[in-house]
């Protein structure tokens, strides 16, 4: 039997379930992914377009499709959390890894568009680490 993973948004208004069957797992450092996430990279799992069951709050989804470029973002209109979406080509369901409640069994395949990785991120990987906020 295939393991199922649950996920949702930060405020809990949107919840979903996916099968733990992912084809790709990328950290993407491209400018558009950094803008869409507000972070140094997007962390996305790629799976079949029909691999999702919305359990709650589908009416709270907002879908942004860039009019000229090939990217999409879906988020909760209540809290802004990134959520799964069908990519513009329709070939994949993209699942933001941070939207899952459990760890997927798929490991990261690659860091892509690494030439666009910002210097502050490269430098930040070398700083002191804490389990929580520093004292």
């Amino acid at each position: 039997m295939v393991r199922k993973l649950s996920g949702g948004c930060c405020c809990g208004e949107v919840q979903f379930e996916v099968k733990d069957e992912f084809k790709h797992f990328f950290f993407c450092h491209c400018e558009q992914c950094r803008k869409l996430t507000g972070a140094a990279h997007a962390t996305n799992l790629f799976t079949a377009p029909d691999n999702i069951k919305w359990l709650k709050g589908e009416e709270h989804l907002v879908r942004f499709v860039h009019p000229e470029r090939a990217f999409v973002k879906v988020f909760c209109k209540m809290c802004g959390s990134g959520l799964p979406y069908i990519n513009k080509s329709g070939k994949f369901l993209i699942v933001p890894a941070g939207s899952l409640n459990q760890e997927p069994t798929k490991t990261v395949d690659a860091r892509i568009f690494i030439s666009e990785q910002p210097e502050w991120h490269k430098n930040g990987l070398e700083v002191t680490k804490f389990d929580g906020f520093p004292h």
Side-chain angles (χ1 to χ4, degrees):
M1 177 168 233
V2 177
R3 181 173 168 243
K4 292 185 179 178
L5 305 173
S6 64
C9 65
C10 190
C11 72
E13 289 297 316
V14 179
Q15 296 176 8
F16 64 90
E17 183 177 85
V18 293
K19 289 180 242 160
D20 191 14
E21 296 177 335
F22 299 103
K23 183 172 175 106
H24 305 292
F25 191 178
F26 297 129
F27 289 179
C28 182
H29 292 277
C30 79
E31 181 181 355
Q32 67 192 27
C33 282
R34 288 187 289 117
K35 294 282 185 187
L36 287 171
T37 62
H41 58 80
T43 307
N44 291 322
L45 292 144
F46 291 61
T47 188
D50 63 349
N51 182 15
I52 192 160
K53 179 179 180 185
W54 295 103
L55 303 174
K56 175 182 167 187
E58 200 171 354
E59 70 277 9
H60 295 301
L61 299 178
V62 175
R63 182 179 173 90
F64 168 74
V65 179
H66 195 279
E68 298 164 5
R69 297 183 67 191
F71 64 90
V72 175
K73 176 162 177 99
V74 170
F75 57 94
C76 171
K77 71 180 178 182
M78 306 299 285
C79 68
S81 297
L83 294 162
Y85 60 92
I86 304 291
N87 68 345
K88 209 166 182 180
S89 72
K91 292 181 181 178
F92 291 103
L93 173 73
I94 310 297
V95 180
S99 70
L100 294 171
N101 297 327
Q102 300 86 25
E103 294 273 336
T105 55
K106 176 79 172 138
T107 58
V108 177
D109 294 310
R111 293 170 59 198
I112 60 175
F113 293 92
I114 198 71
S115 64
E116 297 181 42
Q117 179 186 19
E119 285 300 315
W120 56 261
H121 183 253
K122 293 176 192 175
N123 296 336
L125 295 173
E126 304 302 320
V127 300
T128 305
K129 298 174 178 83
F130 298 92
D131 286 335
F133 281 112
H135 302 288

